[in-house]
Amino acid sequence: MRRTISLIVLGVLLFLLPPLVAQGREMQIGVRVILASHQGKGVDASLQNIQRKLSNLFNYSSYRLLQEHSFLLAQDQTGQLPLTEKKELRVRLLQEQGGTVEIDVEILREGKGIFKTKAKLKKGGILLIGGPRHKEGVLILAISAQ
Amino acid sequence: MLGCDHFIPRLERYLDGELPSNERGSVERHLRSCPRCQKEMEDLCALQRLLREAVEKGVADVELQAVWEGVKKRLRASTVKRRAWWLVRDLFSPFRPIRTLVWGTALLVILLLTLPLVTSPPLPPVVVESVESEDPVMIFQGEEGIMIIWLFEAEDGKEGVR
């Protein structure tokens, strides 16, 4: 009887252990900040791999990579990235499960939240957040789990 | 005085010469005086004779090795079936309620944990669960695992050079 109970406890632990182990894992979240505008023409060389996707989705004539950043986040950790003088991006890792990360993304203007979203990203998936105004164009944030 | 019920089960062993000598004597004494056991004995002798004849006649025609392999195979199959059934019966026996309860709970837990994995459809590469914004927002699905959220920021959000 004792052996039976031990086997059951072991089985339940085997089911519960992987998520518990995953909770302590750090995940890399990549952010590319792109300025899209009608000023000039062309795409930065560093954006060649998503040039076709950007051109298919939007009709801006110019795409310039302003900055590229990678956050290494553990669960419930937040990464911050200044986008412009007044705007800031905050990315918080909510959880990682089975190769899918759940994140909170927030854009703040002068410390005040103007946009917030919660999304799940698989490896290879890209979340594009576009529209925040900057100079003569708009910012497009390409967020991906790495 | 022992009756036929005592002797009839011993007749076959008597016939095969397997009875100890003291019992053989009592069987022989009983046989001399009991017509019912005599009849039983005659039947056994006839059966033994028939079997012997059949074996002697058929043994030349039958490949004993093949027959024996078949018998072994059937014996193994029936043993495995019986063992599996005993295991199930043992686990869920109503006479062992605690064991049944423990196993039942374990199976239920395993079922509940694995069911979502089996039944839930695979997630797309990007899923937007919620969006909050004071400005209007549009969400649309792009190609090849791209999800786009477009924020229509008011004009006063425009900024100059950093």
Side-chain angles (χ1 to χ4, degrees), chain A residues 1-7:
Chain A
M1 188 61 172
R2 196 175 293 169
R3 206 175 66 174
T4 310
I5 292 171
S6 308
L7 280 172

Side-chain angles (χ1 to χ4, degrees), chain A residues 1 4-5 7-8 12 15-16 36 50 52-53 56-58 60 67 82-87 94 100 102 104 107 109 112-136 138-140, chain B residues 91 97-107 109-111 113-114 117 122-135 137 139-162:
Chain A
M1 188 61 172
T4 310
I5 292 171
L7 280 172
I8 290 165
V12 171
F15 268 104
L16 298 179
I50 57 165
R52 194 180 55 81
K53 290 173 185 172
N56 286 348
L57 289 165
F58 314 110
Y60 293 97
Q67 52 179 321
L83 297 172
T84 64
E85 200 174 281
K86 292 178 182 174
K87 291 191 182 93
L94 298 175
T100 301
E102 190 173 7
D104 247 347
I107 297 172
R109 186 173 59 214
K112 188 187 168 213
I114 57 165
F115 170 86
K116 192 176 181 182
T117 185
K118 186 189 278 186
K120 281 182 177 170
L121 288 178
K122 270 187 185 175
K123 194 179 175 185
I126 301 174
L127 175 65
L128 290 181
I129 300 172
R133 294 174 183 276
H134 183 57
K135 295 183 185 173
E136 296 306 315
V138 292
L139 293 177
I140 296 174
Chain B
L91 289 179
I98 294 173
R99 183 179 284 195
T100 306
L101 187 72
V102 169
W103 276 102
T105 311
L107 285 176
V109 168
I110 290 168
L111 196 71
L113 288 170
T114 52
L117 298 174
L123 279 175
V126 185
V127 176
V128 174
E129 293 187 323
S130 65
V131 176
E132 295 167 34
S133 173
E134 287 176 3
D135 297 314
V137 165
I139 304 170
F140 57 103
Q141 176 80 54
E143 55 170 334
E144 295 168 32
I146 297 182
M147 185 68 84
I148 302 110
I149 304 175
W150 199 261
L151 173 70
F152 295 92
E153 194 184 11
E155 195 67 29
D156 56 6
K158 194 172 174 179
E159 293 174 32
V161 184
R162 269 192 84 190

Side-chain angles (χ1 to χ4, degrees), chain B:
Chain B
M1 183 72 181
L2 296 167
C4 296
D5 291 345
H6 174 78
F7 288 105
I8 286 173
R10 285 167 172 76
L11 291 179
E12 197 174 338
R13 288 170 62 204
Y14 170 78
L15 199 63
D16 293 337
E18 290 172 355
L19 276 183
S21 55
N22 57 335
E23 280 194 48
R24 279 185 72 83
S26 68
V27 170
E28 283 165 0
R29 275 195 298 279
H30 179 79
L31 271 173
R32 278 198 288 273
S33 60
C34 176
R36 186 183 160 199
C37 287
Q38 284 169 10
K39 176 78 176 65
E40 199 73 31
M41 193 65 181
E42 278 169 23
D43 289 348
L44 277 173
C45 287
L47 184 65
Q48 205 175 51
R49 202 167 43 244
L50 272 172
L51 280 170
R52 197 182 302 124
E53 280 171 12
V55 169
E56 281 168 1
K57 187 173 178 289
V59 76
D61 307 330
V62 179
E63 282 185 44
L64 280 177
Q65 189 58 32
V67 172
W68 179 232
E69 286 303 321
V71 169
K72 275 202 289 190
K73 207 181 283 179
R74 288 174 69 175
L75 272 173
R76 269 199 301 269
S78 79
T79 310
V80 169
K81 267 187 204 166
R82 214 178 306 150
R83 277 187 191 155
W85 164 241
W86 283 343
L87 183 69
V88 172
R89 198 183 60 177
D90 195 37
L91 289 179
F92 297 101
S93 166
F95 303 110
R96 294 178 171 175
I98 294 173
R99 183 179 284 195
T100 306
L101 187 72
V102 169
W103 276 102
T105 311
L107 285 176
L108 191 70
V109 168
I110 290 168
L111 196 71
L112 286 174
L113 288 170
T114 52
L115 205 61
L117 298 174
V118 178
T119 54
S120 58
L123 279 175
V126 185
V127 176
V128 174
E129 293 187 323
S130 65
V131 176
E132 295 167 34
S133 173
E134 287 176 3
D135 297 314
V137 165
M138 186 170 80
I139 304 170
F140 57 103
Q141 176 80 54
E143 55 170 334
E144 295 168 32
I146 297 182
M147 185 68 84
I148 302 110
I149 304 175
W150 199 261
L151 173 70
F152 295 92
E153 194 184 11
E155 195 67 29
D156 56 6
K158 194 172 174 179
E159 293 174 32
V161 184
R162 269 192 84 190

